[in-house]
């Protein structure tokens, strides 16, 4: 029955072994039999539309609220850091991310005739994802908040997606949805000169390890530093004043 409340990318860290940890846990909402200790803070870009403009200290966070932030996080991960409500507004005036959230203007929606938004230029395409994941995003950002997928639904969809990934024949670091036909990451890199994934080191290269500190010749390094000649100190500054 507890809620994270302040769901955002800064409160989750992932180790190289894929261990995930939550930090800043003093912003969680904790519910006991006697009372509810609410989360009094939040990040606007992860806050569900129904909470914008309200005081967090007066709100009891629900699982539905957390599920909105969760969908934003997953979108960030799959779409290389893009925000689902950051796009090109087809109407008049400025459309900020916060305003787009409150007006349910999901920029990658298949119903863009209603949202009047389209994805920003030079962004990965939502069509690189399977239909079930695209549908989960549609439901997560829909005006009907009851449709928001819970974490278990995302786990099933993402595990299925993982099983449908194909390795690129050109770059080993590229993995893509096998139904696409060709590697979209290669096409993106060639078109925009942007490479999201670093190539793994070939296995036939020697694995150089950092030299242990105990073997670093500290005394010799200090000796070399001390013999570097010092510049003469400047005792008088030139006069740059206008005559």
């Amino acid at each position: 029955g507890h809620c994270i409340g302040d769901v955002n990318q800064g409160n989750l860290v992932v180790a190289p072994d894929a261990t995930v940890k939550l930090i800043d846990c003093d912003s969680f909402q904790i519910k006991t039999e006697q009372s509810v200790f609410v989360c009094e803070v939040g990040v606007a870009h992860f806050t569900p539309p129904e909470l914008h403009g309200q005081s967090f200290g007066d709100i009891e966070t629900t699982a539905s609220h957390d599920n909105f932030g969760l969908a934003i996080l997953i979108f960030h991960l799959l779409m290389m850091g893009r925000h689902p409500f950051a796009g090109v507004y087809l109407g008049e005036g400025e459309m900020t991310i916060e305003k787009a959230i409150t007006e349910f203007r999901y920029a990658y929606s298949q119903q863009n005739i209603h949202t009047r938004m389209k994805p920003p230029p030079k962004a990965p395409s939502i069509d690189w994802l399977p239909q079930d994941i695209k549908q989960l995003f549609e439901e997560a950002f829909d005006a009907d908040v009851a449709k928001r997928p819970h974490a278990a639904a995302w786990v099933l969809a993402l595990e299925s997606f993982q099983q449908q990934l194909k390795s690129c024949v050109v770059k080993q670091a590229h993995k893509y949805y096998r139904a696409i036909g060709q590697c979209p990451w290669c096409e993106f890199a060639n078109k925009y000169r942007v490479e999201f994934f670093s190539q793994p080191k070939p296995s036939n290269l020697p694995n150089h390890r950092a030299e242990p500190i105990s073997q670093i010749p500290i005394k010799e390094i200090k000796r070399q530093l001390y013999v570097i000649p010092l510049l003469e100190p400047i005792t008088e500054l030139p006069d740059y004043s206008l005559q």
Side-chain angles (χ1 to χ4, degrees), residues 29 36 38-41 51 53-61:
Q29 176 181 280
V36 177
V38 299
C39 173
E40 298 182 348
V41 294
L51 298 189
Q54 297 191 46
S55 172
F56 291 110
D58 300 329
I59 298 168
E60 183 174 337
T61 305

Side-chain angles (χ1 to χ4, degrees), residues 1 7 10 28 54 86 112 114 124 126 137 172 177-178 189 210 220 230-231 234 241:
V7 177
F28 280 28
Q54 297 191 46
N112 57 3
H114 301 299
I126 194 71
F137 282 131
Q172 185 182 351
Y177 181 37
R178 65 187 182 193
E220 176 60 22
L230 298 177
L231 296 176
I234 298 176
S241 62

